């Protein structure tokens, strides 16, 4: 199994790698390419950053009897702008989904089954406060999932595969987006020490759910 997608996919793929061979997730990337100099932005134009694209055409390490679990990427749900500090008129919030079609075509050509998992909404972090992007993004995410599903022409695995807390642990998300990972992620993000107290490897919880997916039932 190869887990591909955004940074949460990378966390899950890192666990999968320990138990089930290699993974080729790419931290901080989307599936759809954008022109050079284009920025990902919130609908209001804030939070600009330069995007990268997942090299889904790279079949290195994927055998024909393997399959791909592809997490729809949060990066593709962002809006776009040609400058870092755009005016409202420069922000393009149309959904760009052609990268998903191209990825599916590349994996189809390689004879590899693909399971697509919906993008979940931003979740509250351990303090119960919403992620600062939640208000702008959560209204877009269901429509983006639908746009991807329509373009692919197949059902996506529901997003709760990536979000429901494990009953023995409670809080799954560190800051509303990334999974707890034994406190290491809290330190990396510069959060206070109490953010990692009682944490657990939530990526492993999600990886176990991913491992239960059967391509015979879920492949696109």
């Amino acid at each position: 199994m190869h887990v591909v997608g955004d940074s949460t996919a990378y966390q899950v793929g890192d666990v999968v790698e320990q138990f089930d061979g290699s993974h080729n997730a790419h931290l901080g990337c989307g599936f759809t390419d954008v022109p050079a100099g284009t920025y990902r932005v919130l609908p209001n134009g804030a939070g600009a950053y330069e995007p990268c694209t997942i090299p889904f055409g790279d079949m290195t390490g994927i055998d024909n009897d393997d399959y791909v679990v592809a997490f729809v990427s949060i990066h593709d749900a962002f809006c776009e702008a040609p400058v870092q500090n755009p005016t409202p008129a420069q922000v393009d919030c149309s959904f760009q989904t052609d990268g998903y079609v191209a990825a599916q075509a590349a994996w189809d050509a390689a004879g590899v089954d693909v399971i697509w998992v919906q993008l979940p909404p931003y979740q509250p972090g351990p303090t119960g406060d919403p992620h600062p992007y939640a208000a702008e993004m959560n209204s877009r995410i269901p429509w983006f999932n639908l746009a991807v599903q329509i373009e692919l022409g197949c059902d996506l695995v529901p997003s709760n595969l990536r979000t429901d807390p494990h009953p023995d642990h409670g809080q799954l998300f560190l800051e509303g987006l990334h999974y707890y990972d034994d406190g290491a992620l809290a330190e990396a993000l510069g959060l206070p020490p109490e953010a990692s107290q009682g944490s657990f490897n939530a990526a492993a919880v999600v990886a176990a759910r991913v491992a239960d997916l059967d391509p015979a039932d879920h492949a696109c």
Side-chain angles (χ1 to χ4, degrees):
M1 172 179 37
H2 295 257
V3 183
V4 183
D6 54 21
S7 51
T8 64
Y10 187 91
Q11 286 185 283
V12 172
D14 199 38
V15 178
V16 168
E17 185 174 28
Q18 299 173 40
F19 301 104
D20 193 32
S22 64
H23 75 285
N24 57 349
H26 294 273
L27 184 64
C29 297
F31 285 93
T32 295
D33 199 8
V34 297
T38 298
Y39 292 86
R40 300 286 199 193
V41 296
L42 294 174
N44 65 5
Y49 66 97
E50 294 185 31
C52 62
T53 306
I54 295 168
F56 48 76
D58 181 5
M59 298 291 114
T60 304
I62 300 182
D63 299 323
N64 286 343
D65 58 349
D66 285 340
Y67 63 98
V68 170
V69 177
F71 281 22
V72 172
S73 175
I74 184 64
H75 299 278
D76 294 314
F78 273 75
C79 301
E80 298 175 4
V83 293
Q84 191 169 9
N85 297 300
T87 65
Q90 292 174 301
V91 176
D92 179 5
C93 284
S94 61
F95 294 132
Q96 307 298 321
T97 56
D98 53 313
Y100 291 83
V101 176
Q104 181 67 47
W107 290 322
D108 282 344
V112 178
D113 287 332
V114 187
I115 299 171
W116 289 94
V117 182
Q118 289 179 350
L119 175 64
Y122 285 100
Q123 305 292 309
T127 65
D129 296 328
H131 191 281
Y133 295 168
E136 291 88 352
M137 295 297 292
N138 281 356
S139 62
R140 288 177 55 79
I141 286 173
W143 296 105
F144 181 67
N145 283 324
L146 180 61
V148 171
Q149 181 167 299
I150 290 172
E151 286 297 314
L152 293 174
C154 64
D155 292 333
L156 279 59
V157 174
S159 65
N160 61 7
L161 180 90
R162 299 168 62 173
T163 63
D164 284 348
H166 190 286
D168 294 335
H169 297 115
Q171 183 59 249
L172 188 64
F173 291 95
L174 186 66
E175 32 63 286
L177 180 62
H178 294 95
Y179 304 121
Y180 272 121
D181 189 15
D182 294 331
L185 193 59
E187 182 178 353
L189 292 175
L191 296 180
E194 57 268 21
S196 65
Q197 291 177 2
S199 68
F200 64 102
N201 195 332
V205 174
V206 178
R209 298 175 185 157
V210 168
D212 286 338
L213 297 173
D214 187 344
D217 297 326
H218 298 287
C220 187

